[in-house]
């Protein structure tokens, strides 16, 4: 099978061995009581790795199963094969200890566990990308920017990034503009309800004399997303915040 680029990391829990024919790992809530940020941590790490083209073979979904069935901190790649795109990886936990933690400590645990699992399953180029991403998360945490699209000409450059539930402003698109003729840089934000919306909301990037115009995709799913937004998205360049060019 062809290698796929990672798309998603999710978290589950179980008290039983994670094998075919036994009950599936279930949603978090008993062995590990999640915080508001738990799922977003998986999404941020997965999407940053997606941007960097990280691959774990044919699997583009990694499901981390927090389990009391194995020793604490032990990592076992499960041979449960429910879907050729999904790989379960078991991580041993002490449930009582985890649930006594404060939310911030739980979030740190989920982050470190995710990177331990990724380090365990990765090699060569993949391992380098995991280490690179871990370093970025140490620096930026919830504020990490994920690159989506760029358009550049001799006279300008527009970079579009997104953030997933950042502490500073939630889920949003970040539009960075560089006027190459005058060496002026500006930045603006656009609020998103779900980070996935950016994939249908922004298909093409165009510039007029005074505006950046982001046109959406033409498709059924895009039409559903547009009902939540005014499209095309138009940003007046003069209203964007000036920043230092780098």
């Amino acid at each position: 099978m062809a290698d796929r680029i990672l798309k998603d990391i999710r978290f589950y829990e179980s008290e039983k061995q994670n094998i075919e024919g036994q009950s599936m790992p279930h949603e978090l809530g008993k062995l590990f009581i999640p915080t508001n940020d738990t799922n977003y941590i998986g999404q941020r790490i997965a999407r940053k790795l997606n941007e960097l083209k990280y691959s774990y073979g044919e699997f583009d979904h990694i499901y981390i199963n927090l389990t009391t069935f194995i020793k604490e901190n032990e990592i076992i790649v499960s041979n449960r094969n429910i879907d050729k795109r999904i790989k379960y990886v078991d991580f041993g936990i002490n449930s009582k200890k985890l649930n006594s933690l404060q939310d911030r400590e739980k979030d740190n645990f989920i982050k470190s566990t995710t990177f331990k699992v990724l380090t365990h399953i990765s090699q060569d180029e993949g391992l380098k990308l995991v280490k690179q991403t871990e370093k970025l998360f140490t620096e930026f945490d919830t504020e990490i920017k994920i690159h989506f699209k760029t358009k550049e000409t001799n006279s300008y450059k527009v970079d579009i990034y997104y953030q997933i539930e950042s502490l500073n402003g939630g889920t949003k698109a970040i539009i960075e503009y560089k006027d190459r003729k005058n060496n002026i840089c500006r930045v603006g934000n656009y609020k998103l309800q779900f980070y996935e919306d950016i994939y249908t909301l922004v298909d093409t990037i165009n510039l007029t004399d005074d505006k950046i115009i982001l046109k959406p995709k033409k498709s059924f799913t895009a039409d559903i997303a547009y009902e939540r937004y005014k499209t095309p998205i138009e940003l007046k360049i003069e209203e964007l915040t000036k920043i230092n060019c780098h």
Side-chain angles (χ1 to χ4, degrees):
M1 286 297 294
D3 287 354
R4 296 186 175 99
I5 305 302
L6 181 68
K7 285 185 177 172
D8 200 7
I9 296 171
R10 299 184 195 181
F11 307 102
Y12 294 89
E13 64 180 33
S14 73
E15 296 169 285
K16 295 179 180 175
Q17 191 174 3
N18 189 8
I19 55 172
E20 302 280 352
Q22 293 233 21
S23 63
M24 295 279 287
H26 40 83
E27 301 284 336
L28 299 178
K30 182 184 169 191
L31 301 180
F32 180 83
I33 298 165
T35 73
N36 291 335
D37 206 39
T38 300
N39 288 331
Y40 297 128
I41 291 168
Q43 288 173 3
R44 286 183 205 113
I45 295 171
R47 297 318 298 179
K48 192 65 191 176
L49 285 168
N50 179 275
E51 177 201 322
L52 298 173
K53 304 286 187 278
Y54 169 89
S55 175
Y56 179 49
E58 63 182 311
F59 304 104
D60 57 14
H61 287 61
I62 295 172
Y63 289 178
I64 297 173
N65 177 43
L66 305 177
T67 179
T68 53
F69 186 81
I70 59 178
K71 286 199 308 257
E72 192 177 1
N73 296 319
E74 189 179 358
I75 300 172
I76 296 175
V77 178
S78 170
N79 58 13
R80 180 189 287 281
N81 291 313
I82 57 161
D83 186 306
K84 58 179 180 275
R85 287 174 173 253
I86 297 170
K87 177 49 77 179
Y88 279 92
V89 183
D90 299 330
F91 187 88
I93 61 163
N94 177 323
S95 178
K96 194 174 175 187
K97 190 158 84 179
L98 279 187
N99 283 328
S100 70
L101 298 176
Q102 299 296 316
D103 279 4
R104 187 172 175 76
E105 295 170 312
K106 283 183 174 181
D107 291 343
N108 287 334
F109 165 78
I110 285 291
K111 259 177 289 187
S112 70
T113 295
T114 303
F115 283 114
K116 280 177 190 169
V117 166
L118 289 166
T119 299
H120 181 83
I121 66 175
S122 304
Q123 327 177 321
D124 306 326
E125 184 59 26
L127 189 56
K128 273 190 218 161
L129 296 178
V130 168
K131 291 299 176 195
Q132 181 185 340
T133 302
E134 187 171 18
K135 196 173 168 197
L136 288 169
F137 271 83
T138 301
E139 188 176 352
F140 297 107
D141 199 23
T142 74
E143 307 303 308
I144 197 154
K145 292 192 307 188
I146 298 143
H147 180 259
F148 171 58
K149 212 177 260 274
T150 293
K151 182 173 184 182
E152 56 185 321
T153 67
N154 290 334
S155 57
Y156 72 84
K157 183 181 183 189
V158 177
D159 284 305
I160 298 180
Y161 301 86
Y162 61 93
Q163 289 177 321
I164 301 171
E165 281 304 307
S166 71
L167 280 179
N168 181 25
T171 297
K172 62 190 175 189
I174 298 170
I175 299 94
E176 295 183 359
Y177 166 76
K178 181 171 188 176
D179 174 347
R180 286 185 156 148
K181 288 180 180 172
N182 301 298
N183 199 36
I184 293 170
C185 294
R186 295 178 181 269
V187 65
N189 298 327
Y190 186 83
K191 187 80 179 155
L192 298 171
Q193 289 190 13
F194 307 101
Y195 83 82
E196 298 99 322
D197 290 347
I198 198 167
Y199 289 90
T200 46
L201 274 176
V202 182
D203 187 35
T204 60
I205 302 167
N206 297 298
L207 227 73
T208 64
D209 288 343
D210 64 340
K211 279 183 197 165
I212 298 168
I213 300 169
L214 309 176
K215 287 191 176 170
K217 277 187 176 172
K218 293 183 173 76
S219 71
F220 174 68
T221 49
D223 290 342
I224 294 169
Y226 307 153
E227 289 174 10
R228 301 194 285 267
Y229 303 93
K230 184 176 181 290
T231 57
I233 296 164
E234 298 186 358
L235 303 146
K236 284 194 175 169
I237 293 168
E238 282 298 313
E239 291 175 2
L240 302 179
T241 305
K242 266 193 178 180
I243 54 170
N244 292 328
C245 292
H246 48 75

